[in-house]
Amino acid sequence: MRKLVSDHRDNGTSPSDLCVMATGGGAYKYYDKITEALGVEVIREDEMESLITGLDFFINEIPNEVFTYSEDQPMEFVAHPPDPPNIYPYLLVNIGSGVSMVKVSGPQKFERIGGTSLGGGTLWGLLSMLTGARSFDDMLRLAEKGDNSTVDLLVGDIYGQAYNKIGLKSTHIASSFGKVYKKKRAAERDAEDGCNGDLKRRAEEEHVDGSSEMQHSPSGFAPEDISRSLLYAVSNNIGQIAYLHAEKHGLERIYFGGSFIGGHAQTMNTLSYAIRFWSKGTKQAYFLRHEGYLGSVGAFLKRQPRNWGRRESFQGIRSTA
């Protein structure tokens, strides 16, 4: 931030003409520190208003922005809305440390209709205790290489096959982490019988390339498998709650945003699958290429220069971002 302020001043901008638009909890918690450190005016904007303003802008103005996701058709872009656009009403599922679900019925017409405390913070916190991962990137790298079937109890584990009568595939998760208790009990019985068992110990050479994973105690379950299982558990839970809110309020479009997604394929695929599964294909999950910038763009737009940002101003330009 200091670098940005310095660059603007070097370009001839007067300190009195320069301000910083800030939103989110940090805009309030660190307001005094930011103001003192930068020596410029800091204008705080409401977080939810900024999110909705930014999302509306991306949906209406930026082509190749909104997309659906599945394993068969990853990142399939949605057609640009007509002019005048008819994008309302919709549900925004904003996933950060926790989850907020916001019904948007028009420009600056929104209400928070629900949420859950089981969000990104839940995943980060539990995986930091259960594995040696030290960052969210480490957790995602582990999850990409994991096999959740070693940890989760699947429908096939219970029935030996699919349960077609109620639409459950054999690979459907019946109980997240459901195998852990059984395996740990079996290992304990082996130990009581004088058998050391065959618990997998985490050796240095087993660490995932590119990970800053720390050493941790062996538990009989690979950190990769634990990571994938917990990612599925949190994502499936969010997807189901999102569907229920959309169904209750008659909302066909469900947009997902927030730092939890971060363009991660497994997360988007799980959320999409959950929406399709619970809605029986009647609802669709939508994602954005710039979902991590909704709030900052919204805050900027609330103080945008006059005549800035014409509709279709990016037409014909295919971004590779």
Side-chain angles (χ1 to χ4, degrees):
M1 293 174 71
R2 284 195 183 98
K3 177 68 164 56
L4 291 171
V5 170
S6 176
D7 289 346
H8 279 283
R9 287 175 174 170
D10 291 342
N11 290 332
T13 302
S14 170
S16 60
D17 294 333
L18 186 62
C19 68
V20 171
M21 306 300 303
T23 186
Y28 294 85
K29 185 175 182 178
Y30 301 112
Y31 173 79
D32 293 334
K33 290 185 177 180
I34 295 173
T35 303
E36 180 181 354
L38 300 182
V40 299
E41 181 182 9
V42 177
I43 300 177
R44 296 172 287 189
E45 294 291 348
D46 180 77
E47 180 177 7
M48 205 57 67
E49 288 182 5
S50 297
L51 282 172
I52 302 305
T53 300
L55 178 55
D56 280 0
F57 172 77
F58 280 123
I59 295 173
N60 289 324
E61 304 292 346
I62 309 299
N64 295 333
E65 174 66 33
V66 180
F67 63 92
T68 59
Y69 192 94
S70 68
E71 288 184 338
D72 297 331
Q73 294 179 305
M75 208 166 186
E76 183 175 4
F77 289 108
V78 175
H80 208 37
D83 190 8
N86 182 26
I87 65 172
Y88 308 106
Y90 65 77
L91 177 69
L92 168 61
V93 183
N94 193 55
I95 313 173
S97 298
V99 184
S100 286
M101 307 209 178
V102 185
K103 175 185 177 181
V104 184
S105 48
Q108 294 301 310
K109 294 181 180 178
F110 62 89
E111 62 173 320
R112 187 181 187 275
I113 57 176
T116 172
S117 61
L118 303 181
T122 309
L123 179 72
W124 305 327
L126 288 176
L127 287 185
S128 67
M129 291 192 296
L130 296 173
T131 73
R134 294 189 295 180
S135 70
F136 190 42
D137 286 340
D138 283 349
M139 297 171 191
L140 295 182
R141 289 192 190 98
L142 291 172
E144 286 173 358
K145 296 180 178 293
D147 178 7
N148 69 297
S149 67
T150 68
V151 178
D152 295 336
L153 189 68
L154 308 182
V155 169
D157 295 320
I158 299 173
Y159 290 94
Q161 60 185 5
Y163 193 170
N164 293 320
K165 189 173 182 179
I166 58 174
L168 297 179
K169 297 185 296 184
S170 62
T171 55
H172 192 91
I173 299 172
S175 175
S176 296
F177 284 78
K179 286 179 180 172
V180 173
Y181 178 73
K182 288 186 175 181
K183 287 190 175 182
K184 288 181 75 68
R185 287 294 299 147
E188 289 169 358
R189 284 194 298 270
D190 287 343
E192 291 169 358
D193 294 339
C195 174
N196 292 326
D198 188 27
L199 297 182
K200 181 178 179 183
R201 291 184 173 273
R202 191 72 175 163
E204 182 69 31
E205 59 270 15
E206 291 180 273
H207 285 197
V208 175
D209 291 340
S211 169
S212 57
E213 184 188 4
M214 299 171 66
Q215 293 292 334
H216 52 282
S217 301
S219 65
F221 300 96
E224 295 91 341
D225 301 344
I226 292 172
S227 298
R228 194 175 188 115
S229 173
L230 193 58
L231 176 66
Y232 281 171
V234 172
S235 299
N236 275 321
N237 182 65
I238 294 171
Q240 183 178 14
I241 295 175
Y243 158 72
L244 292 172
H245 279 90
E247 183 70 11
K248 177 181 178 181
H249 293 271
L251 306 172
E252 296 300 321
R253 303 178 186 89
I254 305 174
Y255 293 91
F256 287 91
S259 57
F260 175 75
I261 299 171
H264 187 237
Q266 284 180 326
T267 305
M268 293 188 290
N269 189 57
T270 306
L271 292 169
S272 294
Y273 176 82
I275 297 299
R276 288 195 305 271
F277 178 84
W278 292 109
S279 71
K280 297 181 179 179
T282 62
K283 298 185 188 300
Q284 179 70 60
Y286 295 100
F287 305 94
L288 298 101
R289 288 190 302 121
H290 299 94
E291 44 83 17
Y293 299 90
L294 302 183
S296 57
V297 169
F300 170 77
L301 289 171
K302 296 180 77 171
R303 302 282 176 160
Q304 63 178 313
R306 184 174 298 177
N307 298 324
W308 182 89
R310 304 181 306 278
R311 179 172 171 79
E312 305 289 3
S313 59
F314 290 93
Q315 190 170 17
I317 301 177
R318 184 177 181 83
S319 174
T320 59

